[in-house]
Amino acid sequence: MESVSIVLPNRQTIAASVWISTAPLAVVLVHPGTGIAQRYYEPFARHLAAAGFHVVTYDYRGIGRSRPASLRGMDVTMADWLEDDVGAVTRWAAARFAELPLLAVGHSLGGHALALNSTTNLLHGAVLVASHAGVTATVTGLAERLRIRFVMRVLTPLLTTICGYMPARKLGLGEDLPAGVMRQWSRWTALPRYFFDDPAMDAQARMARVRVPLLVLGFADDPWANPEAIGMLTAPLINTTVERRQVAPRDAGLAAIGHMGFFRQRAGVSLWPQVVDWLREKATAPKEAP
């Protein structure tokens, strides 16, 4: 594994890792979910590298190895992650591995980025894993819906004001988050159609520009990325091919998958080969015109 630093135009940096394959067919970018450090995706990256892909994992600004000494006063939003961080990683990989097809796998927020980012059409194909419009009202189960509402409506404004960032680790909610990221996420979850109702995002028009074939994976026991929420996210992708697969844990020989389980080692036997096969197919197919 090679550690690299990707520099943004504002001179801030993104910490990334490159997993090298001995006989690469293509390059796969792994775009993380919210508050998830790149180390979580290491087993999946190793599997892809063994299957014939160079792999790039990374941390959004403020997360994991891209976290500065203090998150207080860090000026970054979720929209910045979706466009600037993902765009920088994509352009860097396209330049570093110019001779190879470029593919991507996005988890949750990472899938949002693939649907929105201005560099997505550089790819030959992309997989969205547990990606959904994060509207609180669509969360399955009253208890989980109330928990999310409490975190977003009560804890977020209180703790980001007191601490200057969201101390998510202490709450068991993943990595700590910059205040701007958490506040914007909180606002979107309260809107009827998530970021589609934020005029500054222009999300519907941006998604209509995507021409890259997409595989969209959902899991029957995921309370957040349920079929309704996934459909809300993917509906504006009107100018590309979207293949949706809904997987029940029992059909994959697993007790549970949920929102996070696809990238755990135990999912590797039954679920990862499906994605590897799809990525190989797109890597060897002629690239569709943008």
Side-chain angles (χ1 to χ4, degrees), residues 28-270:
V28 179
L29 312 177
V30 179
H31 300 302
T34 304
I36 307 173
Q38 63 177 301
R39 62 181 177 272
Y40 185 76
Y41 303 99
E42 181 175 332
F44 183 64
R46 290 186 183 278
H47 181 85
L48 290 178
F53 300 95
H54 290 332
V55 185
V56 179
T57 62
Y58 68 98
D59 293 308
Y60 298 123
R61 282 174 289 165
I63 300 295
R65 287 168 32 216
S66 297
R67 176 174 176 156
S70 174
L71 289 180
R72 288 178 177 272
M74 186 175 190
D75 185 18
V76 64
T77 66
M78 189 166 272
D80 295 333
W81 280 0
L82 291 168
E83 181 58 32
D84 299 338
D85 293 36
V86 171
V89 171
T90 305
R91 286 187 290 270
W92 178 88
R96 166 78 181 267
F97 302 106
E99 74 285 1
L100 292 172
L102 199 59
L103 302 156
V105 175
H107 179 209
S108 195
L109 178 75
H112 299 175
L114 289 168
L116 289 165
N117 196 271
S118 58
T119 63
T120 291
N121 285 332
L122 295 176
L123 307 174
H124 280 65
V127 182
L128 281 61
V129 178
S131 294
H132 64 296
V135 181
T136 305
T138 65
V139 173
T140 304
L142 178 60
E144 182 66 3
R145 196 157 54 246
L146 291 175
R147 185 183 76 89
I148 296 299
R149 185 173 285 120
F150 178 71
V151 170
M152 292 298 180
R153 313 288 191 277
V154 179
L155 292 183
T156 291
L158 177 65
L159 294 178
T160 55
T161 299
I162 293 173
C163 303
Y165 66 97
M166 185 64 175
R169 284 182 184 174
K170 293 180 179 178
L171 301 173
L173 299 174
E175 297 289 307
D176 296 339
L177 295 171
V181 168
M182 193 68 202
R183 289 169 181 162
Q184 187 173 53
W185 186 22
S186 173
R187 288 195 300 272
W188 286 346
T189 64
L191 298 173
R193 296 177 61 248
Y194 201 54
F195 50 47
F196 295 108
D197 286 335
D198 181 348
M201 289 298 291
D202 195 25
Q204 194 143 333
R206 289 164 71 181
M207 288 190 182
R209 299 185 190 113
V210 173
R211 299 292 192 275
V212 173
L214 303 174
L215 172 62
V216 177
L217 298 181
F219 308 104
D221 60 337
D222 186 342
W224 305 339
N226 53 56
E228 179 185 0
I230 294 173
M232 187 183 299
L233 176 70
T234 58
L237 294 163
I238 58 176
N239 289 310
T240 191
T241 303
V242 178
E243 178 186 348
R244 285 185 61 174
R245 298 182 190 175
Q246 188 74 6
V247 181
R250 65 179 179 275
D251 294 336
L254 298 168
I257 302 172
H259 196 64
M260 301 287 289
F262 174 86
F263 293 97
R264 295 192 173 110
Q265 190 76 51
R266 63 175 177 263
V269 173
S270 56

